[in-house]
Amino acid sequence: MAAERGEFSSRLGFILAAAGSAVGLGNIWKFPFEVGNGGGAAFVVMYLLFCFLLCFPVMTAEIAIGRKTRRNAVGAFYSLNSPAWSFIGKLGILSGFLILSFYNVVAGWAFGYVVEMLAGNFDIGNHFGDFVADWIKVGSYGLVFMATTAYIVSHGIQKGIERAAKLLMPSLIIIMVVLLAYSLTLDGAMDGLKFYLVPDFSKINGPVVYSALGQAFFSLSLGMGALITYGSYLNRDQNIVQSAALITLMDVGIAFLAGLMLFPFVFSQGVEPTGGAGLIFVTLPGVFENLGPVVGVVVGTLFFTLLSFAALTSTVSLLEVPVAYVVDEHKVPRTRAVWLTAILIFVVGIPSLLSNGATSIFTNFMQIIGIAQEGATDHSFMTFVGWVANDTFLPLGGMLISIFAAYIWKKENLSEELAQGNENYIGSYTEKYINFAISYLAPVVLSIIFVLTVLNRFFNIQLIG
Ligand code: TRP
């Protein structure tokens, strides 16, 4: 059975695939602009706290549930004799659908930038607005991206997901280090670093906390069963706690480096860092242009290639979640499951595709349904989907997974699974902390923030300033 489902060939393969899932647009595109909107270093501090104290323990629980049951995000709960709790997995699959539907649109932009730059369109950054509004063009790039994702997933675990991650992740890190080194030499780099690294805690308010939490979950690919699914392909000899720690470190490290690279670029141009979604697509290409035609094109193309690679290992994991479900539970052959799901998600993404200037119906979506927030400039459908899926469903999923692991499956069983491949686990401080975090910290903190987020985002009620 295990052989039929597929398995990662090695620990490195698993870690790279899971880190590949984690590292994506979330780190390189979303994290910097969330920092820009959320007041700089104060946001960074909140994000780091959430990642290490709260998300890391939840991650070990997710992977353990997957490996124990060797089943997909929904089936795993059946295997643990808790069919009623399988709604967690169903919620996860829904979140995955929603996330991939808009994620693929942005991935299509990144890929489109590579093509445009190679075709001699160096100043594409000046035409970002027209570019994203041209739905036929960006729709085609998105379609190619989704097809590439599907192609990889259709080749299964070792030959598809693992192989792609082993190739793409190291390339990404190399490109990133080169760009970082360059950015630190620019005039204005210091101002960028100051904004990024010196926290002003007066800037922390409710929305900053909600976004930081949503970002932590999103960035770690947590709370929707992606890691249950990847864990289900993990071998019993592997140390889950150590792997989860490495995945968290790599993810946080790369997000951190992305900021370190980006803010010097942004400040060297004398631009405000609050550019939102356009930060990476408008501001950065402007910087590349100033480097002159040759260097600019090389650096620009490299950067957007990096972004596309990062996105690809993430879209692969997002697609794998529903695919694993359909393959395991409904016995659909993998190839067919992959292509059908990919097409469906692409179709679900069409409103997001159109919400960036092609039509105003979707753009003003939040105003139309009456949840637009005062002072907010972005009322698009895509932002709305992000609020629902990233900021609401993922932390909710994380809370439910913690409660399930601690009280339904039971801590002892979790510990037993985490001790496989980690002899000294039982009785260690790590065990004590993980148990504390999933039994008390995560359920309490996540349920409070869940209520506050829903009130704030969807009813515009702000209980805590
Ligand atoms: N973590 C990815 C990023 O930062 C996005 C992602 C991939 C994701 N798979 C996921 C988010 C599963 C939530 C759940 O870009």
Side-chain angles (χ1 to χ4, degrees):
M1 167 97 185
E4 253 173 60
R5 285 185 83 244
E7 194 172 78
F8 289 110
S9 70
S10 64
R11 187 162 109 101
L12 182 69
F14 169 74
I15 291 176
L16 286 182
S21 159
V23 174
L25 297 172
N27 305 60
I28 303 169
W29 165 70
K30 199 158 172 290
F31 176 73
F33 87 69
E34 295 273 3
V35 174
N37 290 343
F43 177 93
V44 180
V45 172
M46 293 304 306
Y47 166 78
L48 291 176
L49 288 177
F50 282 135
C51 282
F52 287 113
L53 297 181
L54 210 121
C55 292
F56 161 68
V58 179
M59 182 187 285
T60 61
E62 250 200 52
I63 299 175
I65 292 173
R67 188 176 69 176
K68 173 77 190 170
T69 59
R70 308 215 145 269
R71 256 168 108 175
N72 60 88
V74 175
F77 294 93
Y78 293 125
S79 290
L80 295 174
N81 300 320
S82 314
W85 288 80
S86 67
F87 77 93
I88 301 179
K90 290 173 188 152
L91 178 74
I93 288 182
L94 176 65
S95 319
F97 254 76
L98 294 176
I99 294 176
L100 185 51
S101 77
F102 77 80
Y103 199 94
N104 186 66
V105 173
V106 182
W109 298 349
F111 169 63
Y113 265 50
V114 176
V115 179
E116 298 284 330
M117 285 191 169
L118 287 177
N121 241 338
F122 313 140
D123 63 340
I124 178 78
N126 298 333
H127 309 292
F128 176 68
D130 295 332
F131 176 74
V132 296
D134 185 346
W135 65 273
I136 298 193
K137 199 175 207 176
V138 285
S140 314
Y141 289 133
L143 204 56
V144 173
F145 206 89
M146 186 64 96
T148 311
T149 306
Y151 177 80
I152 294 174
V153 176
S154 72
H155 282 76
I157 308 310
Q158 282 190 18
K159 295 215 177 76
I161 297 178
E162 186 174 329
R163 186 186 284 176
K166 280 185 171 159
L167 183 76
L168 298 177
M169 289 301 289
S171 326
L172 180 149
I173 293 174
I174 295 170
I175 302 178
M176 185 129 199
V177 170
V178 172
L179 289 175
L180 171 65
Y182 177 73
S183 83
L184 293 177
T185 65
L186 297 171
D187 286 343
M190 268 343 250
D191 295 331
L193 291 184
K194 220 165 117 194
F195 172 80
Y196 185 50
L197 299 176
V198 183
D200 172 359
F201 288 106
S202 68
K203 287 188 178 153
I204 294 190
N205 56 21
V208 168
V209 175
Y210 317 145
S211 316
L213 181 72
Q215 176 63 18
F217 272 84
F218 181 79
S219 159
L220 293 167
S221 302
L222 203 58
M224 58 152 277
L227 291 162
I228 296 183
T229 309
Y230 274 23
S232 76
Y233 305 122
L234 182 64
N235 179 300
R236 275 273 135 73
D237 313 330
Q238 311 297 342
N239 184 334
I240 293 181
V241 175
Q242 211 178 64
S243 306
L246 277 172
I247 295 163
T248 308
L249 275 174
M250 275 177 78
D251 184 61
V252 169
I254 291 187
F256 190 75
L257 286 182
L260 214 51
M261 165 190 88
L262 192 74
F263 289 105
F265 273 137
V266 172
F267 279 77
S268 74
Q269 293 295 290
V271 204
E272 280 297 302
T274 46
L279 195 56
I280 256 189
F281 290 101
V282 182
T283 316
L284 211 48
V287 181
F288 298 152
E289 248 192 292
N290 289 348
L291 305 178
V294 181
V295 185
V297 171
V298 174
V299 177
T301 313
L302 268 181
F303 177 79
F304 287 101
T305 306
L306 159 126
L307 196 59
S308 307
F309 283 179
L312 190 57
T313 45
S314 299
T315 51
V316 159
S317 81
L318 284 160
L319 185 59
E320 177 61 24
V321 176
V323 166
Y325 166 69
V326 182
V327 170
D328 285 354
E329 305 302 314
H330 298 287
K331 307 284 176 269
V332 180
R334 176 168 273 269
T335 311
R336 190 187 308 165
V338 167
W339 291 99
L340 288 178
T341 320
I343 292 170
L344 193 62
I345 296 179
F346 185 80
V347 171
V348 174
I350 289 177
S352 293
L353 177 70
L354 297 179
S355 80
N356 294 290
T359 152
S360 62
I361 303 176
F362 296 113
T363 308
N364 295 324
F365 188 77
M366 297 217 241
Q367 277 168 339
I368 293 167
I369 64 171
I371 61 165
Q373 297 200 336
E374 229 176 292
T377 47
D378 183 0
H379 298 136
S380 74
F381 183 80
M382 220 165 89
T383 303
F384 173 74
V385 179
W387 282 7
V388 172
N390 307 352
D391 295 356
T392 313
F393 285 180
L394 294 182
L396 177 65
M399 173 180 85
L400 293 169
I401 288 169
S402 305
I403 294 176
F404 175 81
Y407 301 105
I408 310 293
W409 186 31
K410 301 258 187 292
K411 281 180 282 204
E412 301 71 52
N413 292 315
L414 171 65
S415 288
E416 195 188 306
E417 185 60 34
L418 292 179
Q420 300 271 341
N422 184 0
E423 290 147 33
N424 306 324
Y425 180 68
I426 308 263
S428 66
Y429 284 112
T430 322
E431 184 200 16
K432 293 196 176 83
Y433 184 73
I434 289 179
N435 282 343
F436 162 75
I438 62 158
S439 315
Y440 306 108
L441 190 68
V444 172
V445 173
L446 293 177
S447 51
I448 295 174
I449 299 186
F450 174 73
V451 172
L452 293 175
T453 305
V454 170
L455 287 177
N456 174 258
R457 299 284 207 215
F458 303 107
F459 298 96
N460 223 342
I461 298 171
Q462 185 117 324
L463 291 185
I464 296 181

